[in-house]
Each structure stands twice: as C-alpha cells, then as structure tokens.
Amino acid sequence: MRGLFLHCFILFPIWIFCQTFSVSGRIADDKNSALPFSSVIVKGTTQGSNANADGYYFLKLQPGTYELIFQYVGYRKKVETIVVTGNLVRDITLIPESYELKEVVIKDGEDPAYAVIRQAIKKRKYYLNEVDAFTCKAYIKGLQRLKDFPKKMVKLINAMNTSGEKIDSTLLGVVYLSESETKYHFRKPNDEKEIMYSSRVSGDNKAFSFNQVSDMKFSIYENLISLDGLSDRPFISPINENALLSYRYKLLGTTFEDGKMINKIEVYPKRKTDPCFRGIIYIQENTWRVHSVDVYLTKEAKIDFVDTLHFKQINAPVNDSIWMPMSLNMTFNFKVFGFVGDGYFNAIFSDYNMQPVFTKNFFKNEVLKVDNGANKKDSSYWESSRPVPLTAEEQADYRKKDSIGFIKNSDRYKDSVDRIGNRLTLSDIIMGYNFNKSAKKFSLTTSGILTSGVQYNTVEGINASIKVDMKKRYENNRYHDINAATRYGFSNYLWGGILTWKYMHRPEKFESYSLKLGTSAVQFNGNDPINPTMNTSYTLFNNENFMKLYKKTYAAFNIRRELVNGLIASINSEYAERSALRNSANDLWIDHINKRFTSNDPLHPFSDDSTFKVHNAFVIDMGLSIRFKQKYYSRPFEKIIVGSKFPIINLTYSKAIPGLNTLTDYDLTKISIDDNVKLGLVGTFAYRLKGGYFLSARYLEFMDFKHFDGNQTLLANNNYLNSFKLLPYYTYSTKHWYAEGHAEHHFNGFIFNKIPFLKKSRIQEVVGGHILFNDKIDHYYEINFGIEHILQIIRLDYVLGYGPGNQFNQGFLIGLGLDF
C-alpha cells in the first residue's frame, strides 16, 4: 500500500503538467459587437488560434503563466496575462485603434502615404525572399451558405427532376462546411509540399476537404497576386514595384504598437476596372514591413462567380527578425442567376519551424498528399483538435447533415429514392431515362427522343441513334463502363452499332483497359472535325454536304497507364473492314441553283465512282505522353495532375501490319508539343506544335492519310489549338509528311480594360495564328482576331487565311470559349 501511494505521489505532478486545460471566451468591441476571426497568439510562441464568426475563441494550454495577444485588424492589440491551473473563461474587449494624423509637410500636393509606400516597395523583394525554408501547421475551415434562390427556376428544375428528391426551402442555409488540418513545407525557390492529415466534410464522411494552404497563400509582397479560378488575370499588389502607376494612397493616421509606429494607409485603384485591391494596409515605420492587411475586390475588378472578395491577414514575429502570417480570412458574397449567398475560408497558421531539415527526395513533384485516414477522424477528435470553436450554425449543420448523411448512406434509403426516381415518365421518354441502383453503385442511362441524335446527311439521309450507358462503380474509384449505341440510316437502310467496355483498374496510375466493337458510318478524319448538326444545317439549307463517310466494321482494344510520374504510355490496336459508301439522299429545304452536292469521295468530289475498294486493316498505335517535373495531388486511390513549368510532349508510332488478310501497310511517326505560358498582366500564351512523317507508305487508303482539322462553316471547332478556321477539310491531306503550328494569346482584358466604352464589360480579347506545311502545300497560314467571354461562354472570331498562289480567304466564326 505504501508503495502504491508513493507511486501516485511521484506521478501526480507529472500528470498535472501533462494535462491541458481550455482557455476560452468571446472577443468583442467596446459596443459588445463580436469581432469575427480575431486572432489569439501565445506570446513568445507560434501557437495561436482565431475566433469564430461569432467572436468566440478557444485554446488548449498546459498549466502555467502565459501572455495572450488578442488582435483584430484596425483595433488596438491587447495583451492579457493568465495563470492556467484549470479551465478558464476570459472575455476580451478590443477598442478601435486611435490613429493620429499629425500635421505633415505635403510636398507638391502629395499625400505622406506615398513616402511610406515607396519605402515598402524598396523592401518588398527583401521580405519576399527573406525565408529560405519553413514548415508550419495549418487549420482551414470553409463555409458557404445560400440565402435565396430563384423560385421560378427551381420550380422548373423540380418539374424536370424525376428523382425522389426535390429542391425546396431546406436548401437555404449552409450548403458546404469543411475543416482540414495540414502540415505545410516550403523551400526556396518554389518547392512546396502539403500533407493533409485530417479532413471533415459536413454530411459526407467519405469525402475529402478541398481546403488547401496553397489556395490560401496570399502575400502582399508578391508583385502579382493570382486568384486561380476567380480571375483569368492576376491582381497588382499595393506594393508592386510599379504600383504607383495603378494605385492611389492616403495616410489615415499612425499609432504605436510595442513601441513601433504603424502607418494606416488606404489604397484604391486609379481606374476602377484595373486589377487592383481596395482597402487598408498597415506598414511598420522604419522596417517598412507589412503588419496587416484588410483589402477587398469587387466586380469592377473583373472577378468571376463572386461579387465581393475580402481578405484580412495578420502577420506576427516568429523569431527576433522574421514575421509570418498567423491568420488569413477570406469572405465573399455572390449573386448569380438569382442565387444569393455568402461564405468564408478561415486559415490559422501555427508551429512555425524556420530551420527545417528535409530529406533528399522529400519534395519531388507531389505537392499535396491526403493521408489515407484523413477522413476517418471522428467528432471527438475534432472537438479536441480544432483551434476555432464552431458557431451555433456550424454545430447545427454538422448534427443535421451527419444524421441525414447516415440515413442517406443506408441501403434502405437509397432503394426508396431509387424506386421513385426509376419510374418512367413522359420527360424520360423525351429527354432520356436514368435507372439507378445506388446501393449497388449501378446506373443505367438511355437517350430520349430529343437527345437521340437525329441528323441528316447525303449518305444516310435522316439518321437516328439511340444510346445506352451502364456503369458499375467499386471502392477505390474503380469502375466498369459499358456503352452501347445503335444507328440507322433511313435512306441507305444501313444499320450500325457500337459496343464499348472500359475498366478503370487503378485510378491513381490512370490505368484503364477498353474494348470496342462496332459497325458504323464514320468520317474519313477520325477526329470528326465536321459537327453533325452543323452539317445537317448546311446540307438542307445551303446545298453543302461537307461530311464524308465510309463504313467501318471493327474491333479495337486499348490499354493506358502511367509508368512513372509524368510518363503515360498507351497502346491501341484495331482490326477493321472498311468499305465505301455513296450518296443516297438529295433532299433540300432551300435549293441554291448554283450549287450541287459533291460525291461522298473526298478525292473525287464530282464523281460517284469511288476508287476505294473493300479491304481490311490491322493498325497498332503506341503513344507516350511526357511531362517533365509534373506536379500532382495524391488522394487515396486518386491522382490529380496540376501542371508543370515544362510543355507536354506526345510521341506516337503507328504501324499498319499486312498479312492477316490485310493489305494496309505503313509506318507513321508523330510528335506534338504544347504548353500554356502565363505572362502576368499581359495575359496567357498557349501553343501547340505538331509534326509527322510516314516512314513507309506501301499501301494505305484515304482514311489512313494524315488529315487536318479544318472548317468550312460558321461554327468554330472548340479545340482552338488543334484546328484551322478556314482550311478545307480534305484538300491538303497527306501520306508523306506534315508540320503544323497553332498559337493563341489571351489578353484577359489587358487592352479592353483601357478602352472607355469596353472596360466595364467582361469581354476579353484574343489573337491567334495557325500555319501548315506538307508535301502538298508550301505554306498555309491563318490569323484570327477574337472576342471571348461574350455572355460568359461565347466567342466570336474574324479570321484571315492565306494559301499558295496568294489565295486569300476571310470569315467570321462563332464558338464556345471553353477550350482554354
């Protein structure tokens, strides 16, 4: 017994000091209004937290005496000494900072803020490159809520929705809530790696949060600040090396903090539509470092999806000389097509290590890794781990959606919803039918009357197709996908059908297998450059039957896999019988007496006697896609490629093998190089260079030639970097060699932003060039001038084409600006 008491006596102080206690409370102003996302830092450490949206904070500390620093942008910092011996509640009141604007000498009418800004600009690069390497922990919480929605649109959606779930007023409120914890690693110049070890998404315990430190990197020291996904163009920092050309500044006053003077400076753009911030930046006198930031962007700055985007960042010292971000809060609101809402992302950075040691191959190319068990943490873990307490709204959302999610994930609930959704309705017949067995992860989709693809061409006349798609999903993102389609030509009585099976075996390696069996009328150019709907219009209304078809009965097998990061290999083999088709229909809705249909033989457009005979071909294509130092995210059983500073190189070797009841015999090598290059405020330059050479061409038919994606209609091919705008479809097809190049520069509003009657619009300018050489043509080139983002998605181009013999062509094209 004595030994037991002695043992407890020895362990008791150890147990006490290993205990942690909570320090919590509410941070408000002198009028008792909450100060949302205020920061709390333990003095002398990099440990800290933020208040939540209602002003409540929470810390876990071991027993001892601490000094807590409470901060909010624009308010006087407060230091509280506390003694922790148990759980402690301490409410805090911060008062607005009193900024004095003393009498200053204004030289040549210039506000004194300009002198401070010039000093900050001089020190910008120093502070940007001050840190060689560091690691830190980050907690990020994201929330979006819907406040209103268009009642008429929702009513229409519900009328068309055949599933058991309808949209109603319960949609209002929080629509997305997630939390994540990560360890972030950085090394100059640009090495970074983020490891997400905890993730929670409200209502979906299998999902992973999309909250990332890389998306929350907001540094005023960068010349240009990119907001990918919200704007095509970057934004100019208020202390950009040329910021004085774009910003105006006003000194609102000065104050003292820890014996150092802080300048409060208002910043706003000289021109409303310039890519500039508005708001306040706080700069420390003499050191000229940025103390904190409170800036925002509006629609005038050309941001997408949101109306206002607000940034609040507090920097603090992590050692005697270096300051780092302690917190960043991004809030936003939006109003799109009648949907009204708002939200925020709040990040807390802590546990900075400014002298980390990394293993030799630590960084490599994986920039984000999500641990396998990141989404397996339960609510008790989050209760003890999250540094920011949940608001009442967030607690209610977790309770509600986690409960609903538990029910919705049950087989019984899924079956009940499927029973309602699987009922056949009139809209299913018209638009297409969906059948689901959600519990078994099985779905079946069929086309409807309006989606069955009724078209017209001079070979088949009216033709219609019906499609059926079946998909079976498994754990680990694997799936089987079977697609069946049948097609019938009412003029030539030709039935066709295609059956495709695809198995995604290892998604994290992009490893898939597919088998395709079919007999159908197909275009001579396998890229299908001629849109069937546009061909229907031109045939019926303009006497121009551009689409040329032949019959192919075939079996094909494909395998694709990433061998190592950035190197993807693929092999495709196809055995096919190919036979000629002739025109069988000449119907017109508008007859142009000066035009007549051409034959279905691209080589002999005015003769119906095709020189192409029935034959078999066995072709194997082997491809390699190469991208050096490819960056990627890795999630459990998933890999997401995020790019590289190097271009993509594609190599292909095609071999037609004779002897298996086949005559076709050729060898073709191809290469393509393409990339997108961001050029800051000037825009983005994109290019694609392609070339090929037939090593041998002992026997091949016209469909084996190298064809180019041309265009002879008003509708642009939306793959702008892979097509010509005015080139005839088959005039310059070759069986020898070719070289082509495509380039476009998207100015992202750089020019239009300076034109008075255009700068308030959201349209943007684009120019491009396209060139072709081969054994048939010594040169062909095009230049296009375009306007994109018309009504967000429409693009209009004026194109000039120049061919051999000083041939000149021009025209307007309309398309969708979605290719970039």
Side-chain angles (χ1 to χ4, degrees), residues 522-526 548-550 600 602 612 702-703 707 730:
V522 299
Q523 295 189 39
F524 281 89
N525 184 344
K548 308 301 177 186
L549 305 168
Y550 71 97
N600 191 48
F612 144 44
F702 190 64
M703 66 284 293
H707 305 291
Y730 294 110

Side-chain angles (χ1 to χ4, degrees), residues 221 266 660:
Y221 295 119
E266 182 183 7
L660 301 172

Side-chain angles (χ1 to χ4, degrees), residues 415-568:
D415 290 342
S416 66
V417 173
D418 289 341
R419 278 194 296 271
I420 299 173
N422 292 340
R423 295 170 183 167
L424 187 65
T425 65
L426 179 60
S427 64
D428 292 329
I429 297 173
I430 296 173
M431 300 303 298
Y433 175 63
N434 296 315
F435 176 87
N436 292 288
K437 292 294 271 184
S438 303
K440 302 292 185 182
K441 297 185 178 181
F442 174 82
S443 64
L444 181 146
T445 303
T446 67
S447 57
I449 294 174
L450 294 183
T451 59
S452 62
V454 178
Q455 310 289 348
Y456 178 84
N457 61 64
T458 54
V459 175
E460 300 168 290
I462 296 175
N463 59 88
S465 58
I466 299 174
K467 298 178 181 179
V468 178
D469 182 77
M470 294 177 288
K471 181 169 286 188
K472 168 68 175 176
R473 295 188 177 275
Y474 303 90
E475 297 296 332
N476 307 338
N477 293 329
R478 296 179 297 115
Y479 65 83
H480 285 282
D481 190 1
I482 298 176
N483 185 282
T486 183
R487 172 170 167 160
Y488 182 69
F490 287 87
S491 179
N492 64 352
Y493 312 110
L494 178 66
W495 278 100
I498 299 173
L499 178 66
T500 303
W501 163 79
K502 179 179 179 180
Y503 175 49
M504 178 58 73
H505 177 55
R506 295 181 64 189
E508 70 276 14
K509 288 290 185 181
F510 307 107
E511 182 178 332
S512 64
Y513 307 89
S514 64
L515 177 66
K516 198 171 188 178
L517 306 173
T519 178
S520 185
V522 299
Q523 295 189 39
F524 281 89
N525 184 344
N527 291 334
D528 295 338
I530 307 166
N531 179 281
T533 301
M534 185 59 67
N535 181 75
T536 298
S537 300
Y538 270 79
T539 302
L540 294 174
F541 293 100
N542 211 42
N543 283 45
E544 293 178 299
N545 56 327
F546 295 123
M547 185 178 288
K548 308 301 177 186
L549 305 168
Y550 71 97
K551 181 183 176 183
K552 181 167 77 168
T553 302
Y554 62 98
F557 179 76
N558 175 273
I559 180 172
R560 182 175 184 264
R561 188 183 191 277
E562 184 177 56
L563 304 178
V564 296
N565 180 53
L567 181 64
I568 297 178

Side-chain angles (χ1 to χ4, degrees), residues 37 96 110 153 193 251 272 288-289 295 381 383 388-389 394 428 443 457 463 551 581 595 638 644 647 763 790:
F37 311 114
E110 183 180 81
M153 181 185 296
K193 185 172 182 177
L251 181 65
K272 290 183 179 180
W288 312 115
R289 70 169 77 248
V295 296
Y381 168 86
E383 285 294 328
V388 180
E394 292 161 355
D428 292 329
S443 64
N457 61 64
N463 59 88
K551 181 183 176 183
L581 296 173
K595 294 181 180 179
E638 184 181 16
S644 168
I763 61 174
I790 303 171

Side-chain angles (χ1 to χ4, degrees), residues 16-54:
I16 282 290
F17 285 98
C18 287
Q19 281 282 85
T20 58
F21 298 103
S22 67
V23 179
S24 60
R26 182 172 181 265
I27 306 174
D29 62 13
D30 53 356
K31 297 179 181 178
N32 202 35
S33 296
L35 297 178
F37 311 114
S38 310
S39 71
V40 186
I41 302 171
V42 181
K43 188 174 182 179
T45 74
T46 61
Q47 182 182 358
S49 177
N50 269 17
N52 64 20
D54 294 335

Side-chain angles (χ1 to χ4, degrees), residues 159-174:
M160 298 175 63
N161 182 12
T162 59
S163 73
E165 297 181 282
K166 302 293 184 179
I167 300 174
D168 55 28
S169 59
T170 59
L171 181 67
L172 299 179
V174 177

Side-chain angles (χ1 to χ4, degrees), residues 55 63 79 82 149 151 231 257 268 289 382 392 397 448 463 513 529 534 536 563 751 804:
V79 180
I82 61 170
F149 58 80
K151 307 301 186 297
S231 177
E257 182 179 286
Y268 53 97
R289 70 169 77 248
W382 284 101
D397 187 71
N463 59 88
Y513 307 89
M534 185 59 67
T536 298
L563 304 178
I751 297 174

